[in-house]
């Protein structure tokens, strides 16, 4: 009797044994099995010979699927690592890594394996590399085995060019290259740039909005080794690749590398593991690296490569001006200086961008008579005014209502939107510059990838004079005629309760400033602030990321924050806060503290957004200066948590290396 040990996509930390029919069989093949009253697709992870399950309880598998070759060993290693590190069931990890089509219970036909694409890339006219680019390229080229690099290059310094050259070398050596990009950066422009650079090479593009069939096609091409370049977002770090020889993580600081539900993993960190396991080079690139990576880059764990100059000879870094708004009475938030600069650009036929990281018309509607404000009834948050569609909308749960004509509590008709968002800014600018073509870019105007791409196309086509947008616009896009960037309302993040907020603000402003003056036109950046002497703005003006990062790291070291300590977060949500906190409290006493002297458990507290979707949310922070201790603690703790009795509507999850609090 042959037994297959199978991983299934279930929230359970265990594997399942099945008897298998005679026929093709190997670890790494998918298998169709009966489960409960239905069927499931699993992955064979072991052929154990015997099972501890008594013979009469052992079920028969329905079919071993051999339409594809077995998933390779290094793929299992990666998934096992992720499963252990993030305390996620192996089955969930393995199966989420497969395209949905391959997880479905349908009978499948054998697919013919196509030949590998070969041949040297035929490269079109390449720019002469700058000295700095040469050095970076050479350092990576000379490396052997696992070699992590942090490429710190100012915006427009030609990081992408370095990636492309490295990819070309990797292909020549007969290997595949994996380029990870943030969700929003996987644009037709990037795709076109890669395809035109490597016209004879099969490229696989993988992102979450691909239709199922397309996703499966691209994934298979990558897995079978037909595609030699794989460009993808977060999830593609799991793509099994037979000949992987290089990983590049573009904009490595980007929060979208962190999965925020299900298995909460960091694709960047898994990419590092994958490179070290495969003994290949990995390049993390950014103009504003995460502090974690910067610490590794400056303490020698990663080799730091620097591009200080913009690549295009004529392009210099933009001049950054702070406008002190303390004594200004800012009508609709725009200073006279910024207005004037916008007017000048308009006359010169150049593009401007006004950056405000808050979408909607105004963050809240309020009654001046009784103090009513538009709270979401499901969340501990305000509902945002969306004037365009006459809606109040909660940005956390999506709940919405029509904008009321009068105050719901006192009937007063004098209710006002307070504060401002991109829509309000757009309306104001349209009033000021009636002749200008204004384009708003935020998650309301670019809901889908298609809409986003259409907007980008219009911007590139010169169809807009003034862009108003959120951080969507801050990421690595190249708008050649953009010469002015104005940043409005940035101060809000300076004093935010989240201690990572300044780091993110700096990155955003640096990125958004980097949009200005990319080609032969010089750029200018105007930042409106009431805190002109904040070190953050000073470092920004000097284009001095290292100085600011080092300051922040020092603060983190003194405060004992990451990356100088390691954290995990246990969160619980329930209809009543009491239940959530009680569960967390019980969790603190599960393991004898003296066994883990270096692990610190904080008191359970309500989360900052203490209610969402009508559920009360609590959290418990776990911290340790020792990664191994924390890991050891977490795996035993998680087993204990699984056995805790909980009220029926209580849900909990564990997040390792949380980014948000
Ligand atoms: P980054 O990724 O650092 O923002 P890119 O690689 O996109 O920078 O380069 C910015 C611009 O400079 C692009 O238009 C690119 O074609 C150009 N560029 C890059 N390297 C060179 C070079 N060595 N010589 C001339 N132009 C270059
Ligand atoms: Zn009222
Ligand atoms: Zn809500």
């Amino acid at each position: 009797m042959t037994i297959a040990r199978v991983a299934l996509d279930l929230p359970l930390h265990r594997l399942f044994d099945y008897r298998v029919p005679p026929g093709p069989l190997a670890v790494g093949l998918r298998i169709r099995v009966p489960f409960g009253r239905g069927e499931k697709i699993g992955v064979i992870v072991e052929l154990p010979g015997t099972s501890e399950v008594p013979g009469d309880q052992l079920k028969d598998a329905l079919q071993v699927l051999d339409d594809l070759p077995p998933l390779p060993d290094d793929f299992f290693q990666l998934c096992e690592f992720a499963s252990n590190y993030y305390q996620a069931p192996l089955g969930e990890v393995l199966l989420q890594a497969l395209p949905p089509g391959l997880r479905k219970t349908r009978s499948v036909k054998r697919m013919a394996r196509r030949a590998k694409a070969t041949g040297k890339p035929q490269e079109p006219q390449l720019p002469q590399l700058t000295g700095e680019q040469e050095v970076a390229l050479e350092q990576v080229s000379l490396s052997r085995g696992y070699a992590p690099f942090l490429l710190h290059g100012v915006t427009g310094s030609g990081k992408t060019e370095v990636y492309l050259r490295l990819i070309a070398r990797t292909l020549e050596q007969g290997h595949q290259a994996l380029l990870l990009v943030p969700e929003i950066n996987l644009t037709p422009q990037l795709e076109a740039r890669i395809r035109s650079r490597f016209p004879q090479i099969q490229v696989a593009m993988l992102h979450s909005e691909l239709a199922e069939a397309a996703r499966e096609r691209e994934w298979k091409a990558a897995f079978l080794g037909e595609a030699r370049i794989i460009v993808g977002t977060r999830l593609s770090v799991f793509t099994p690749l037979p000949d992987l020889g290089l990983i590049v993580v573009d904009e490595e600081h980007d929060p979208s590398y962190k999965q925020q539900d299900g298995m909460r993993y960091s694709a960047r960190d898994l990419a590092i593991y994958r490179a070290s396991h495969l003994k290949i080079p990995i390049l993390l690139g950014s103009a504003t690296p995460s502090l974690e990576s910067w610490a590794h880059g400056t303490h020698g764990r990663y080799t730091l490569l620097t591009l200080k100059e913009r690549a295009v000879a004529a392009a210099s870094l933009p001049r950054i001006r702070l406008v002190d708004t303390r004594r200004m009475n800012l009508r609709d938030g725009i200073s006279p200086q910024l207005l004037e600069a916008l007017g000048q650009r308009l006359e010169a036929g150049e593009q401007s961008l006004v950056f405000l990281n808050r979408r909607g018309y105004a963050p809240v509607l309020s009654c001046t008579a009784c103090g009513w404000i538009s709270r979401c009834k499901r969340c501990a948050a305000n509902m945002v005014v969306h004037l365009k569609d006459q809606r109040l909308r909660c940005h956390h749960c999506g709940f919405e209502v029509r904008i009321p004509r009068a105050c719901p509590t006192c009937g007063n008709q004098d209710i006002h939107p307070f504060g401002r968002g991109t829509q309000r800014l757009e309306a104001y600018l349209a009033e000021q510059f009636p002749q200008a073509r204004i384009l708003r870019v935020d998650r309301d105007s670019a809901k889908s990838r298609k809409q986003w791409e259409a907007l980008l196309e219009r911007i590139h086509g010169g169809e807009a004079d003034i862009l108003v947008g959120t951080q969507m616009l801050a990421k690595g896009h190249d708008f050649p005629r953009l010469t002015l960037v104005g940043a409005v309302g940035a101060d809000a993040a300076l004093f935010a309760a989240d201690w990572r907020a300044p780091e993110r603000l700096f990155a955003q402003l640096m990125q958004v400033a980097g949009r200005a003056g990319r080609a032969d036109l010089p750029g200018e950046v105007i930042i409106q602030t009431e805190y002109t002497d904040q070190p953050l703005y000073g470092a920004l003006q000097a284009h001095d990321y290292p100085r600011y990062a080092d300051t922040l790291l020092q603060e983190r070291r003194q405060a004992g924050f990451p990356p100088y300590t390691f954290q995990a977060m246990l969160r619980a949500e329930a209809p009543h806060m009491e239940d959530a906190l009680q569960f967390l409290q019980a969790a603190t006493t599960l393991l004898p503290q003296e066994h883990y002297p270096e692990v610190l458990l904080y008191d359970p507290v309500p989360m900052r957004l203490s209610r969402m979707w009508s559920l009360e949310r609590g959290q418990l922070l776990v911290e340790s200066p020792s990664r191994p201790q924390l890991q050891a603690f977490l795996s035993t703790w998680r087993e204990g948590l699984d056995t805790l009795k909980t009220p029926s509507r209580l849900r909990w999850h564990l997040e390792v290396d949380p980014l948000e609090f």
Side-chain angles (χ1 to χ4, degrees):
M1 181 176 67
T2 318
I3 309 283
R5 194 153 288 162
V6 175
L8 294 174
D9 186 9
L10 293 167
L12 296 172
H13 289 259
R14 53 167 291 211
L15 301 168
F16 299 83
D17 289 355
Y18 287 94
R19 247 190 316 257
V20 277
L25 184 64
V27 167
L29 288 179
R30 280 148 41 249
I31 185 168
R32 196 156 63 84
V33 298
F35 191 85
R37 267 188 245 145
E39 298 180 4
K40 271 185 167 303
I41 293 282
V43 173
I44 303 174
V45 296
E46 213 185 316
L47 297 171
T50 59
S51 175
E52 278 158 26
V53 181
D56 53 340
Q57 286 171 34
L58 212 53
K59 289 193 192 155
D60 290 310
L62 301 168
Q63 185 188 12
V64 174
L65 306 175
D66 65 340
D67 54 326
L68 290 172
L71 294 160
D73 203 38
D74 69 293
F75 170 74
F76 279 102
Q77 309 269 347
L78 175 68
C79 291
E80 256 162 46
F81 174 81
S83 160
N84 291 329
Y85 189 92
Y86 294 111
Q87 305 299 329
L90 180 62
E92 271 185 9
V93 181
L94 280 169
L95 283 130
Q96 57 95 43
L98 304 182
L102 298 184
R103 288 179 245 152
K104 289 214 178 114
T105 51
R106 50 163 200 212
S107 37
V108 282
K109 281 195 255 76
R110 208 184 171 84
M111 202 177 82
R113 196 172 166 164
R114 273 181 281 156
K116 276 185 194 177
T118 47
K120 258 186 123 170
Q122 190 199 56
E123 296 184 343
Q125 270 289 311
L126 298 185
Q128 177 81 31
L129 290 185
T130 66
E132 291 179 327
Q133 284 173 321
E134 289 278 11
V135 172
L137 189 62
E138 196 178 286
Q139 289 239 37
V140 184
S141 305
L142 289 176
S143 71
R144 293 287 168 268
Y146 168 60
F149 294 91
L150 176 62
L151 178 64
H152 172 232
V154 298
T155 51
S157 59
K159 294 185 289 296
T160 311
E161 186 61 39
V162 174
Y163 306 158
L164 295 177
R165 300 292 176 108
L166 284 171
I167 290 171
R169 276 181 22 97
T170 306
L171 299 180
E172 275 169 34
Q173 292 163 353
H175 297 302
Q176 291 170 294
L178 172 64
L179 170 61
L180 295 178
V181 296
E183 188 67 45
I184 205 155
N185 283 31
L186 191 47
T187 58
Q189 284 81 15
L190 177 67
E191 184 175 348
R193 193 166 166 188
I194 291 170
R195 289 198 194 277
S196 78
R197 178 66 64 95
F198 304 104
Q200 290 172 338
I201 298 294
Q202 194 176 335
V203 180
M205 309 291 285
L206 286 162
H207 63 78
S208 59
E209 273 189 52
L210 276 186
E212 220 170 85
R215 170 110 161 258
E216 190 171 326
R217 183 191 65 224
E218 301 289 289
W219 186 91
K220 278 184 183 162
F223 170 49
L224 297 175
E226 293 157 7
R228 308 306 291 171
I229 304 176
I230 296 87
V231 187
T233 55
R234 175 170 77 215
L235 183 59
S236 61
V237 73
F238 286 104
T239 318
L241 300 166
D243 307 314
L244 185 58
L246 170 75
I247 305 179
V248 175
V249 184
D250 186 29
E251 309 285 355
E252 67 88 28
H253 65 282
D254 196 287
S256 77
Y257 285 121
K258 185 76 196 275
Q259 166 91 10
Q260 294 293 6
D261 50 34
M263 175 177 56
R264 292 161 165 82
Y265 64 92
S266 155
R268 178 198 61 210
D269 296 351
L270 287 179
I272 289 281
Y273 169 82
R274 195 166 179 184
S276 74
H277 181 74
L278 288 175
K279 304 192 172 57
I280 59 171
I282 177 167
L283 187 68
L284 309 179
S286 175
T288 53
S290 63
L291 286 185
E292 281 79 2
S293 299
W294 184 251
H296 288 324
T298 49
H299 300 169
R301 191 120 151 234
Y302 301 164
T303 305
L304 181 62
L305 307 168
T306 311
L307 307 178
K308 287 203 184 71
E309 309 287 339
R310 283 195 159 175
V312 178
S316 51
L317 286 170
R319 195 167 79 89
I320 299 184
R321 216 166 103 196
L322 300 180
V323 169
D324 187 345
T325 55
R326 242 169 316 181
R327 273 175 212 86
M328 285 181 194
N329 182 11
L330 288 189
R331 213 193 128 217
D332 295 280
I334 304 256
S335 62
Q337 288 91 329
L338 182 52
L339 270 186
E340 190 193 325
L342 286 167
Q344 284 166 357
R345 293 318 186 295
L346 207 51
E347 251 163 51
E350 295 166 14
Q351 242 173 18
S352 310
L353 185 168
V354 183
F355 172 68
L356 170 60
N357 210 6
R358 184 186 283 148
R359 67 194 169 93
Y361 184 83
V364 67
L365 187 70
S366 133
C367 167
T368 45
C370 75
W372 171 85
I373 54 171
S374 52
R375 306 277 296 171
C376 175
K377 64 175 188 186
R378 301 200 290 216
C379 309
N382 294 334
M383 294 214 281
V384 175
V385 184
H386 286 255
L387 211 54
K388 275 232 158 74
D389 24 347
Q390 285 295 311
R391 293 275 172 185
L392 294 175
R393 193 171 289 142
C394 173
H395 286 185
H396 296 284
C397 73
F399 180 73
E400 55 177 64
V401 293
R402 256 193 88 79
I403 295 180
R405 292 230 174 79
C407 171
T409 358
C410 75
N412 171 27
Q413 300 213 335
D414 194 24
I415 48 177
H416 294 287
F418 271 83
R420 73 191 74 80
T422 45
Q423 286 180 18
R424 192 170 204 168
L425 214 51
E426 178 192 18
Y428 174 70
L429 289 169
E431 210 179 282
Q432 293 294 310
F433 303 107
Q435 74 281 29
R437 297 164 303 168
I438 300 177
L439 203 64
R440 177 167 52 83
V441 183
D442 54 28
R443 271 204 290 126
D444 296 313
S445 67
K447 281 206 184 82
S448 66
R449 178 171 284 270
K450 271 225 164 66
Q451 286 172 322
W452 168 229
E453 287 170 359
L455 280 173
L456 276 178
E457 206 144 290
R458 285 175 66 189
I459 301 171
H460 281 284
E463 286 178 44
D465 303 310
I466 303 179
L467 308 172
V468 178
T470 58
Q471 54 159 346
M472 277 191 99
L473 277 175
K475 316 265 171 104
H477 308 290
D478 219 339
F479 306 132
R481 295 205 60 77
L482 185 84
T483 58
L484 172 71
V485 170
V488 177
D491 287 344
L494 275 183
F495 308 104
D498 181 353
W499 48 269
R500 281 187 214 267
E503 174 189 352
R504 275 199 293 264
L505 174 64
F506 187 85
Q508 276 171 8
L509 289 177
M510 193 100 166
Q511 297 282 345
V512 80
R515 299 312 111 216
R518 303 262 297 180
D520 47 352
L521 300 166
E524 184 185 20
V525 178
I526 293 181
I527 298 176
Q528 298 188 171
T529 171
E530 297 188 7
Y531 304 91
T532 49
D533 51 3
Q534 273 284 317
L536 186 149
Y537 294 126
L540 205 62
Q541 275 190 298
H543 298 280
D544 198 346
Y545 168 81
R547 185 173 91 199
Y548 190 61
D550 291 339
T551 313
L552 284 182
L553 277 179
Q554 242 170 32
E555 287 172 17
R556 296 269 180 98
R557 189 194 286 278
Q558 275 160 10
F561 280 166
Y564 300 101
T565 185
F566 304 99
Q567 297 181 328
M569 189 73 89
L570 177 65
R571 299 201 186 87
E573 53 184 39
H576 303 288
M577 184 61 89
E578 235 177 69
D579 290 338
L581 294 180
Q582 228 163 48
F583 167 81
L584 296 172
Q585 192 59 47
T588 60
T589 58
L590 266 181
L591 298 187
Q593 189 73 58
E594 60 274 15
H595 291 186
Y596 304 93
E598 288 188 88
V599 174
L600 177 64
L601 290 137
Y602 285 77
D603 286 332
V605 290
M607 287 176 63
R608 191 165 325 122
L609 185 66
S610 61
R611 187 161 40 90
M612 193 164 132
W613 285 103
S614 303
L615 291 173
E616 304 283 335
R617 316 187 320 151
Q619 68 183 26
L620 165 63
L621 179 63
V622 185
E623 204 174 82
S624 176
S626 152
R627 169 75 77 195
Q629 269 233 10
L630 181 65
Q631 286 295 317
F633 171 82
L634 290 177
S635 60
T636 323
W637 198 40
R638 202 258 313 136
E639 280 168 26
L641 292 170
D642 280 336
T643 64
L644 270 188
K645 270 229 158 311
T646 57
S648 65
R649 288 196 60 205
L650 186 138
R651 295 275 168 279
W652 61 268
H653 71 258
L654 198 53
E655 178 169 1
V656 180
D657 304 328
L659 280 186
E660 278 168 26
F661 286 81

